[in-house]
Amino acid sequence: MNFDELGLSQKVLEAVRASGYETPTPIQAQAIPHALAGRDVLGIAQTGTGKTAAFTLPMISRLEQGRARARMPRTLILEPTRELAAQVEEAFVRYGVNHKINVALLIGGVSFGDQEAKITRGADVLIATPGRLLDFADRGKILLTGIEVLVIDEADRMLDMGFIPDIERICKLVPFTRQTLFFSATMPPEITRLTEQFLQNPVRVEVSRPASTATAITQTLVKTGVSPEEKRATLRRVIRGAENFKNAIVFSNRKRDVQVVYRSLEKHGFSVGALHGDLDQRARMAALDAFRNGTVQLLVCSDVAARGLDIPDVSHVINYDAPHHAEDYVHRIGRTGRAGKAGVAITLATRLDAKNIDAIEKLIARKIDWAPGEAEAADDAPEEKRPEQRSRGRSAAGREPRREEERREPRREEERRERPAPRSRRPEAPATAAAPAPRRRQREDLDDAPVVGLGDHVPSFLLRPTRLPRVTAD
Ligand code: AMP
């Protein structure tokens, strides 16, 4: 199929040609004609499939008719993170070169004033993270009653981040008659419920992950000691010894470790940047740009910051920490091996990671081999942690139970922090049966929570129950 067969306008087709695309990807071929016909679309697709163009191209065609009014954007795209929002903005710049489209970005970490000025002038396209958008709406700075097309992107990610109550509120603020384009990589029950509530007779379009992601990535484990010093030394060894190395994204489970690993690599003379939620927006974009354009070779990231980012040419992904959640592994390694290129994913594995690695192997339905020379070294590991003795069948259910505060904390700290104090406190959506608790906790939130006492580092002797001397009443 060709792009000209999809029903896009001539000006959009010219922009597509200028982008160098020859044929539409499956999600584009299937979704664009329906989107142009005004149908609601439920797209089950992940980043890398071309889904951004699948919604931006028909939106631009549609925006050719009509004009934006002050404070009343015509279309709204919801993204879970600032980086993804910025990435979609870039797509509008690229595909909208032949149009005069006013795009406004409503994300945290950027001054309210500039954003407000853009919205006041009138935006054709508003790209927003849910928290900042609701702040604007609650302050009466924006009216969503003119929205013709609503895009909800990365819905399962929104769920992970506790944004579903916000999405529900936003869906109620936009007109009932709007068109909704909804994208999610997976369809857990909470997301299905959301689509049943807010989509009208949608066309369901499902595409598999790009084949290159699964097949072109060499995945290995590298044994390391548990201490941060040992892990950092192993990381340096891995980077220095990596074959066909061009650049690498290094994933850490915690924000504070991102910073520590980043500083350590910098100290050891590596060309490195960092990306995590504590950095202000400018620093985040600068780090990303530096990595994209090759100014730095390494980017140390947390999962939230890096999810869904489109960085086309990453030779290596290194998991400084084995992720606690198997799905994160899939998302992480999907940063390499893109666009048909070969990729390498290396995971540092301590003797404490056996359970996480079992869960990953179960999810990806394959065993991850030890890097050459590593298996022998791993024989030194304590008895039950030896790699070959790891139970292959242990289920992901064997994970640590969620901590109480994790269940209680639905919203990502990063997003909450990025909001300025509201004039009047916005009531949180009630936790009713219709708004289930988020599927899983936010480890980044935990990471940012103020540490009480010694935090996780309480020496075990202090945790032993104290035996008090028996006092007899006399
Ligand atoms: P996305 O899934 O939207 O993040 O897109 C992934 C990458 O595919 C981006 O770098 C796009 O520029 C690229 N892309 C999107 N559509 C096409 C196409 N039809 N042909 C080639 N590349 C594309």
Side-chain angles (χ1 to χ4, degrees):
M1 178 173 270
N2 281 327
F3 271 107
D4 343 12
E5 296 168 56
L6 300 179
L8 293 163
S9 76
Q10 273 314 313
K11 284 202 277 184
V12 173
L13 286 174
E14 277 163 31
V16 168
R17 270 192 287 274
S19 301
Y21 304 160
E22 282 161 16
T23 45
T25 64
I27 186 87
Q28 292 162 2
Q30 293 173 60
I32 291 174
H34 294 297
L36 284 170
R39 291 281 303 269
D40 280 5
V41 173
L42 167 56
I44 303 167
Q46 61 177 32
T47 316
T49 54
K51 72 177 162 64
T52 315
F55 63 80
T56 44
L57 298 178
M59 283 173 80
I60 296 172
S61 276
R62 181 177 178 141
L63 287 168
E64 286 173 3
Q65 265 90 52
R67 284 191 67 233
R69 281 181 284 166
R71 291 181 196 277
M72 285 182 73
R74 295 179 60 195
T75 60
L76 170 63
I77 300 168
L78 296 174
E79 292 289 339
T81 67
R82 308 169 193 177
E83 279 76 13
L84 282 169
Q87 211 164 274
V88 172
E89 186 188 29
E90 281 168 26
F92 272 99
V93 172
R94 187 171 347 137
Y95 306 134
V97 279
N98 303 321
H99 294 75
K100 220 180 147 312
I101 298 176
N102 297 326
V103 180
L105 205 54
L106 265 193
I107 54 175
V110 180
S111 98
F112 255 62
D114 294 350
Q115 295 182 339
E116 195 186 340
K118 266 197 166 179
I119 287 164
T120 307
R121 279 201 296 276
D124 296 295
V125 180
L126 179 64
I127 308 165
T129 47
R132 187 52 81 98
L133 176 67
L134 282 172
D135 274 341
F136 262 74
D138 290 344
R139 288 158 177 246
K141 303 267 182 214
I142 196 165
L143 272 173
L144 298 178
T145 47
I147 297 292
E148 299 162 33
V149 182
L150 169 68
V151 178
I152 300 173
D153 194 19
E154 300 266 332
D156 51 351
R157 189 64 180 156
M158 303 266 198
L159 173 70
D160 284 350
M161 292 165 74
F163 289 157
I164 295 303
D166 284 352
I167 301 293
E168 287 174 329
R169 271 196 69 201
I170 293 166
C171 284
K172 288 174 187 159
L173 294 176
V174 298
F176 181 72
T177 50
R178 76 191 179 251
Q179 179 185 20
T180 309
L181 309 175
F182 190 103
F183 293 87
S184 190
T186 55
M187 289 297 290
E190 298 93 326
I191 295 295
T192 304
R193 187 184 58 79
L194 201 65
T195 59
E196 285 165 358
Q197 199 181 351
F198 294 112
L199 270 68
Q200 291 179 36
N201 189 22
V203 183
R204 187 182 164 109
V205 175
E206 189 162 354
V207 299
S208 54
R209 57 173 35 254
S212 59
T213 312
T215 52
I217 304 173
T218 311
Q219 303 172 50
T220 52
L221 298 175
V222 168
K223 190 199 167 223
T224 183
V226 175
S227 77
E229 293 76 19
E230 287 171 291
K231 289 185 78 173
R232 292 198 296 269
T234 309
L235 176 64
R236 292 194 295 275
R237 174 167 67 84
V238 163
I239 297 169
R240 289 187 180 123
E243 284 176 22
N244 300 323
F245 183 88
K246 177 175 178 280
N247 57 6
I249 301 183
V250 178
F251 281 99
S252 165
N253 288 352
R254 293 154 181 258
K255 267 193 261 186
R256 61 170 175 247
D257 289 344
V258 169
Q259 203 56 29
V260 174
V261 171
Y262 159 70
R263 270 196 255 111
S264 158
L265 288 170
E266 196 178 41
K267 203 180 89 193
H268 283 85
F270 290 91
S271 151
V272 61
L275 193 65
H276 61 80
D278 278 350
L279 297 171
D280 68 32
Q281 189 56 22
R282 197 181 301 179
R284 286 163 71 152
M285 294 317 287
L288 204 51
D289 285 347
F291 186 69
R292 274 204 180 111
N293 64 32
T295 316
V296 298
Q297 272 192 307
L298 300 168
L299 187 64
V300 190
C301 289
S302 59
D303 286 288
V304 165
R307 176 78 172 251
L309 292 181
D310 178 34
I311 306 171
D313 205 2
V314 178
S315 71
H316 286 63
V317 163
I318 302 174
N319 292 315
Y320 172 80
D321 298 306
H324 295 309
H325 296 278
E327 318 91 75
D328 286 339
Y329 179 82
V330 177
H331 288 290
R332 290 179 183 188
I333 71 163
R335 306 298 102 218
T336 183
R338 288 165 86 83
K341 298 207 171 79
V344 177
I346 301 170
T347 301
L348 270 51
T350 74
R351 60 187 168 79
L352 306 178
D353 290 323
K355 206 161 73 174
N356 289 335
I357 291 167
D358 278 344
I360 291 166
E361 290 178 338
K362 192 155 183 268
L363 181 75
I364 63 175
R366 56 167 282 192
K367 186 177 173 302
I368 310 172
D369 292 326
W370 292 88
E374 294 291 331
E376 298 78 38
D379 284 342
D380 303 337
E383 234 355 63
E384 52 137 346
K385 310 293 186 191
R386 276 191 202 159
E388 65 277 18
Q389 291 186 345
R390 286 199 319 259
S391 106
R392 317 233 52 89
R394 200 181 309 149
S395 78
R399 290 173 187 161
E400 309 273 300
R402 290 195 306 173
R403 281 158 51 171
E404 189 52 37
E405 67 270 36
E406 295 164 2
R407 280 193 291 267
R408 273 191 267 113
E409 183 55 276
R411 189 193 304 287
R412 190 164 61 114
E413 187 65 26
E414 177 189 335
E415 172 84 358
R416 182 146 13 87
R417 207 182 321 108
E418 72 194 12
R419 298 182 191 189
R423 275 188 207 147
S424 63
R425 213 181 138 55
R426 181 163 68 78
E428 292 294 325
T432 61
R439 195 163 44 135
R440 74 174 207 229
R441 52 132 178 130
Q442 294 306 303
R443 53 197 167 278
E444 293 232 325
D445 293 354
L446 290 175
D447 203 25
D448 282 348
V451 176
V452 178
L454 295 167
D456 288 339
H457 306 288
V458 184
S460 56
F461 75 88
L462 284 179
L463 295 171
R464 263 187 243 137
T466 330
R467 243 187 258 137
L468 295 171
R470 196 181 288 271
V471 180
T472 44
D474 64 346

